[in-house]
Structure formats: structure tokens, C-alpha cells
Amino acid sequence: MEPFIVNPDDNLDVFLRRSDAANYLRKRFNFGSSALLAKYATIGLGPTFYKLGRLTFYRRADLDAWVQSRLSRPKKSTSDLVA
């Protein structure tokens, strides 16, 4: 399925279905699945999403922002994890 493009000049505004969003996360960040996004959507831990009837859509910019918000500060050692 081709993604629905809101603004063709801005790739971050491409709306992706859940499976496409999961593929994007796997390719860009090496993690993510449709099941993870569905689970997180039900408990409020996932990225911002949009509904159109029963369909769920994600924007790339929202996926990127969500991953960035979940990253820790840079670490140089595993001992940095103990605080």
C-alpha cells in the first residue's frame, strides 16, 4: 500500500499504516513491530498516532520524536547506568 502524503515536499508528513511504521522503525532504528505499536497505543506509551475510522496512521516525524524521547543520555560505561 502506498503511504498517503499530506505534503509531497515534506517526507516527514507521510502518513504510514501501522505495519509500514513498524518497518520504518526497524530500518531506521533496528527495532519495532506492529504488535509493539498496537500494544503501546492501547496503554499510551507509543508514538503519536492518527485515526481515520478503524485505520491507524503514524507520521515519520512523530516516530522519530518518540524514539528520541526514549533514548538515554550518552554512556561511556555500563557503570554509568547505576545512579
Side-chain angles (χ1 to χ4, degrees), residues 4 6 10 13-14 18-19 21 27 33 36 38 42-43 48 54 61 67 74 81:
F4 174 67
V6 173
D10 185 359
D13 273 342
V14 172
R18 184 170 280 148
S19 61
K27 287 179 184 175
S33 70
L36 175 80
T42 63
I43 59 177
T48 300
R54 292 178 34 175
V67 170
L81 299 175

Side-chain angles (χ1 to χ4, degrees), residues 18-61:
R18 184 170 280 148
S19 61
D20 296 323
N23 287 334
Y24 173 78
L25 289 172
R26 275 193 300 276
K27 287 179 184 175
R28 182 160 174 128
F29 301 105
N30 202 30
F31 87 99
S33 70
S34 295
L36 175 80
L37 289 174
K39 169 84 173 177
Y40 280 7
T42 63
I43 59 177
L45 292 178
T48 300
F49 62 93
Y50 305 85
K51 295 292 284 185
L52 179 62
R54 292 178 34 175
L55 302 177
T56 303
F57 296 95
Y58 296 86
R59 287 182 1 169
R60 289 179 184 164

Side-chain angles (χ1 to χ4, degrees), residues 2 7 10-11 16 19 21 37-38 51 57 60 65 68 70-72 76 79:
E2 286 297 313
N7 179 355
D10 185 359
N11 280 342
L16 303 171
S19 61
L37 289 174
K51 295 292 284 185
F57 296 95
R60 289 179 184 164
Q68 290 297 320
R70 297 183 55 86
L71 287 174
S72 70
K76 292 188 178 202
S79 63

